[in-house]
């Protein structure tokens, strides 16, 4: 007899209990500490592969594991996305030079739980436009976080982000989203960074959910393409600048808790 056809049920977003929230906090805390370490390395004259090597060693030395290494055959421990690279830049012999903007995205597995965050660094003096893009993307992340309130719709996050980006005349990447996170790297719910469309997700942000917000803003078109030479590197279609910031957020009964806040990095309200 043939098994009845079943629609694959939509995977439910896990709601984490207090003991699990402590695991998530520990993962976020370590990942943020790692970002503060990255901050001491990044600058003009540094090769992106050297940042990656040091992240690998720091993570191992602390007894943890870089999540991207071997993830879907991704070859490195970080993503370093420079200038027109939107995300998933593979560290290589590229030397950071004054005027560049460079996003470093790091994800660590701590005791089986994931922390995920990224920052865009200004390398030396950058153009006013590059600075404004980075500032707007940073502010957009915090507006998205503020829109993430208990029992709000997931779509309020993207609405806040894109409305703000548009006012500054920047576009928002649509093909890559934030994501649920926990004992897996990427899980439900998806977190769009754009104003909701007709078929937008209906998910409600419930206390106990954990997810990333990671807007990518572009100076030109929102459209992107994947480099066919490595099948990873994502660039803007017009090769204009792109910036990104990311935090891991735990929804609590009292509002969003940022799990990946750094000690030495730009704090909410920072002026670049
Ligand atoms: N850290 C990225 C994110 O924010 C994912 C990188 S996956 C990789 O979701 F394979 F490209 F490293
Ligand atoms: Co992420
Ligand atoms: Co990330």
């Amino acid at each position: 007899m043939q098994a009845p056809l079943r629609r694959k049920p939509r995977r439910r977003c896990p709601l984490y209990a207090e003991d699990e929230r402590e695991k998530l906090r520990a993962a976020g805390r370590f990942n943020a500490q790692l970002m503060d370490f990255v901050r001491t390395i990044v600058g003009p004259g540094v090769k992106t592969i050297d940042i990656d090597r040091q992240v690998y060693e720091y993570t191992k030395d602390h007894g943890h594991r870089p999540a991207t290494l071997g993830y879907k055959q991704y070859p490195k421990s970080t993503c370093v996305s420079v200038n027109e690279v939107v995300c998933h830049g593979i560290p290589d012999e590229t030397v950071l030079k004054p005027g560049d903007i460079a996003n470093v995205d790091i994800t660590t597995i701590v005791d089986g739980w994931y922390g995920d965050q990224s920052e865009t660094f200004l390398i030396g003096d950058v153009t006013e436009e590059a600075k404004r893009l980075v500032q707007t993307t940073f502010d957009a992340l915090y507006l998205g976080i503020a829109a993430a309130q208990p029992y709000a719709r997931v779509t309020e996050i993207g609405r806040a982000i894109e409305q703000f980006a548009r006012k500054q005349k920047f576009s928002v990447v649509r093909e890559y989203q934030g994501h649920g996170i926990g004992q897996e790297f990427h899980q439900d719910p998806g977190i769009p960074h754009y104003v909701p469309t007709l078929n937008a997700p209906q998910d409600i942000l419930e206390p106990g959910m954990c997810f990333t917000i990671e807007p990518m803003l572009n100076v030109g078109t929102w459209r992107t393409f994947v480099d066919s030479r490595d099948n990873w590197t994502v660039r803007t279609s017009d090769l204009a600048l792109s910036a990104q910031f990311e935090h891991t957020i735990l929804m609590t009964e009292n509002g969003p808790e940022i799990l990946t806040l750094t000690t030495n990095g730009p704090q909410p309200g920072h002026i670049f």
Side-chain angles (χ1 to χ4, degrees):
M1 201 172 75
Q2 203 177 347
L5 276 176
R6 283 242 213 109
R7 276 193 74 201
K8 198 172 160 199
R10 191 167 194 293
R11 211 154 32 109
R12 289 276 305 143
C13 312
L15 300 179
Y16 298 113
E18 190 49 38
D19 56 328
E20 298 167 310
R21 295 182 191 191
E22 281 303 319
K23 296 287 196 181
L24 285 162
R25 288 186 181 106
R29 208 177 302 127
F30 174 78
N31 207 63
Q33 179 188 324
L34 176 59
M35 186 59 88
D36 275 327
F37 172 67
V38 165
R39 192 180 316 291
T40 67
I41 306 168
V42 171
V46 174
K47 282 185 189 168
T48 60
I49 189 78
D50 294 335
I51 300 169
D52 188 83
R53 162 64 45 190
Q54 296 212 49
V55 164
Y56 176 80
E57 277 164 11
Y58 187 100
T59 304
K60 285 288 168 192
D61 287 349
H62 286 79
H64 306 311
R65 197 148 69 83
T68 59
L69 191 57
Y71 173 79
K72 295 185 175 172
Q73 302 189 54
Y74 186 80
K76 295 286 184 245
S77 303
T78 61
C79 298
V80 183
S81 302
V82 182
N83 296 336
E84 81 284 359
V85 178
V86 173
C87 60
H88 305 166
I90 303 176
D92 61 10
E93 298 297 316
T94 305
V95 179
L96 297 177
K97 57 181 194 310
D100 285 344
I101 62 171
N103 177 273
V104 181
D105 192 333
I106 49 176
T107 309
T108 312
I109 311 173
V110 175
D111 201 14
W113 293 78
Y114 288 69
D116 184 10
Q117 73 195 111
S118 82
E119 284 185 30
T120 299
F121 295 91
L122 308 180
I123 310 300
D125 284 333
V126 306
T127 64
E128 273 311 307
E129 183 175 65
K131 196 185 281 188
R132 203 170 64 80
L133 175 69
V134 170
Q135 181 77 59
T136 304
T137 310
F138 181 79
D139 294 341
L141 168 60
Y142 285 99
L143 287 171
I145 294 171
Q149 292 299 327
Y151 305 106
R153 283 176 191 262
V154 150
T155 45
E156 293 310 315
I157 297 171
R159 188 193 307 282
I161 290 170
E162 194 183 10
Q163 277 181 353
F164 178 67
R166 290 181 75 110
K167 268 192 231 149
Q168 313 297 321
K169 306 283 186 237
F170 295 129
S171 66
V172 175
V173 169
R174 305 178 75 84
E175 292 111 324
Y176 303 89
Q177 307 191 339
H179 50 89
I181 188 167
Q183 289 174 289
E184 284 177 57
F185 198 161
H186 296 114
Q187 60 190 29
D188 282 340
I191 311 281
H193 301 117
Y194 49 80
V195 174
T197 48
L198 278 177
N199 56 0
Q202 299 296 309
D203 306 71
I204 298 294
L205 295 168
E206 289 184 59
M209 282 173 54
C210 190
F211 52 89
T212 71
I213 304 179
E214 47 184 298
M216 288 143 274
L217 269 58
N218 300 347
V219 161
T221 179
W222 58 269
R223 290 180 189 277
T224 68
F225 69 99
V226 178
D227 191 323
S228 60
R229 290 168 300 186
D230 61 21
N231 281 322
W232 279 109
T233 309
V234 179
R235 290 192 170 78
T236 54
S237 292
D238 56 7
L239 301 182
L241 289 182
S242 182
Q244 179 177 29
F245 285 87
E246 172 177 29
H247 272 312
T248 299
I249 307 293
L250 174 66
M251 185 53 68
T252 78
E253 288 69 13
N254 303 317
E257 179 180 334
I258 305 175
L259 301 186
T260 43
L261 265 186
T262 61
T263 303
N264 302 328
Q267 303 297 310
H270 176 81
I271 306 292
F272 286 85

